[in-house]
Amino acid sequence: MSNTALNQALEILKKASHIAAFTGAGISVESGIPPFRGETGLWSKYDPIVLDLDYYLSQTEESWKVVKEIFYDFFGQARPNPAHLALAQMEAAGLIKEVITQNIDNLHQEAGSKIVHEFHGNSHQLVCTHCNQLFPLEKIQLTENPPACPACSHLLKPDFIFFGEGIPDAAYNASIEAARQADVFLVIGTTGEVMPACQIPVIAKQNGVTIIEINTEPSLYTPQITDLFLQGKAGEILDQIAKQLIPTI
Ligand code: NAD
């Protein structure tokens, strides 16, 4: 990334009154969580069918074994990286209003971000497939056997959306509202391929929002809607941006 591009981004961000961040799997790569796609992506090792709702309900033991391995044994070890921390610092300093994330790893909240619209839910909560009660992860002991609801004994599932499920209403509506109200979107570490989440920056652009994209490589957005592309690792770039915009850190 050139210094010119970084300086241009800083000028845009300084003048903005409503900045929203839109994040994808790439922001958590520096925390050790691989993305789904690509040569080293999770789907090169696992079959995505385990995240199909009907499959989880019918082949529960097989599906749970893989879900636990990926999202709890493996993701569970991850900690926020400088990209998550920079966004949280920028929110605390009044520079960023909200984060819209496609991620389910809870790392924005662990970094200190307060307003996080989770487009795909969160793995740190489980929901009963029968009575719909929610349980924080720490209240459920995860074993090799599929977890049972403490209230009604039916099957629990992670509270992120599986294939075949809809986007949570609150996150969807808040994201559309952000796309209407913001003047700058920081689009970070996302290919722009996952529907319908990928439409949010497009709707923002249609509403006149300036799109600053941070990614190690061009995405579907780059030639289509991106106004300024900062190529590089999210942790390094956002750390520089936060340090420039918040002199006290
Ligand atoms: P993706 O897997 O399709 O793409 C990841 C993007 O991140 C790519 O564009 C890649 O170039 C970029 N990237 C990689 N390393 C980066 C870095 N250090 N800094 C900046 N960018 C980097 O991700 P997606 O578009 O978010 O879609 C995948 C879907 O899978 C999402 O909907 C998400 O819910 C889910 N997912 C979530 C997690 C998580 O919670 N951490 C992990 C994997 C997948």
Side-chain angles (χ1 to χ4, degrees):
M1 178 199 46
S2 71
N3 272 342
T4 317
L6 179 64
N7 288 333
Q8 280 177 326
L10 290 169
E11 285 314 306
I12 294 168
L13 293 168
K14 277 180 200 160
K15 286 185 198 140
S17 56
H18 183 153
I19 303 169
F22 177 83
T23 68
I27 197 168
S28 295
V29 166
E30 290 158 77
S31 292
I33 301 179
F36 279 166
R37 290 173 197 71
E39 275 173 33
T40 56
L42 289 168
W43 297 149
S44 65
K45 186 172 170 201
Y46 299 100
D47 187 339
I49 189 111
V50 294
L51 289 189
D52 181 274
L53 183 62
D54 288 339
Y55 199 81
Y56 184 72
L57 296 176
S58 61
Q59 311 291 324
T60 306
E61 296 208 350
E62 182 199 335
S63 184
W64 170 250
K65 197 167 162 273
V66 181
V67 166
K68 177 175 175 289
E69 185 175 313
I70 301 176
F71 296 98
Y72 297 104
D73 301 344
F74 180 38
F75 277 31
Q77 309 301 317
R79 293 291 163 261
N81 68 54
H84 300 104
L85 294 169
L87 292 182
Q89 286 164 334
M90 287 164 71
E91 182 186 336
L95 295 168
I96 282 190
K97 276 234 166 73
E98 59 212 315
V99 175
I100 302 161
T101 190
Q102 299 168 82
N103 296 342
I104 56 166
D105 55 27
N106 205 46
L107 293 180
H108 285 299
Q109 290 90 333
E110 286 175 39
S113 287
K114 303 284 184 236
I115 303 180
V116 183
H117 310 307
E118 294 179 306
F119 216 85
H120 294 153
N122 190 316
S123 59
H124 285 226
Q125 206 166 241
L126 292 103
V127 61
C128 179
T129 54
H130 182 72
C131 73
N132 292 325
Q133 271 201 64
L134 290 166
F135 299 92
L137 184 56
E138 55 275 14
K139 296 268 186 226
I140 305 293
Q141 198 177 354
L142 300 185
T143 68
E144 295 309 308
N145 297 320
C149 174
C152 74
S153 304
H154 285 81
L155 176 66
L156 292 175
K157 78 174 262 299
D159 191 31
F160 57 78
I161 62 161
F162 280 37
F163 298 123
E165 292 190 283
I167 306 300
D169 283 345
Y172 182 81
N173 293 334
S175 303
I176 295 286
E177 196 56 23
R180 292 207 181 106
Q181 299 292 332
D183 46 15
V184 177
F185 253 49
L186 282 168
V187 174
I188 305 158
T190 178
T191 51
E193 287 175 23
V194 177
M195 283 289 280
C198 64
Q199 288 302 313
I200 299 297
V202 177
I203 295 168
K205 177 73 177 183
Q206 286 163 352
N207 286 318
V209 175
T210 302
I211 309 290
I212 300 177
E213 184 182 6
I214 301 173
N215 201 312
T216 46
E217 52 192 84
S219 71
L220 288 184
Y221 294 124
T222 318
Q224 303 283 345
I225 63 164
T226 298
D227 293 294
L228 187 60
F229 183 56
L230 304 181
Q231 185 156 17
K233 292 184 175 176
E236 292 171 9
I237 294 175
L238 284 168
D239 188 55
Q240 287 187 60
I241 288 177
K243 285 188 172 127
Q244 295 279 344
L245 293 180
I246 314 168
T248 49
I249 59 171

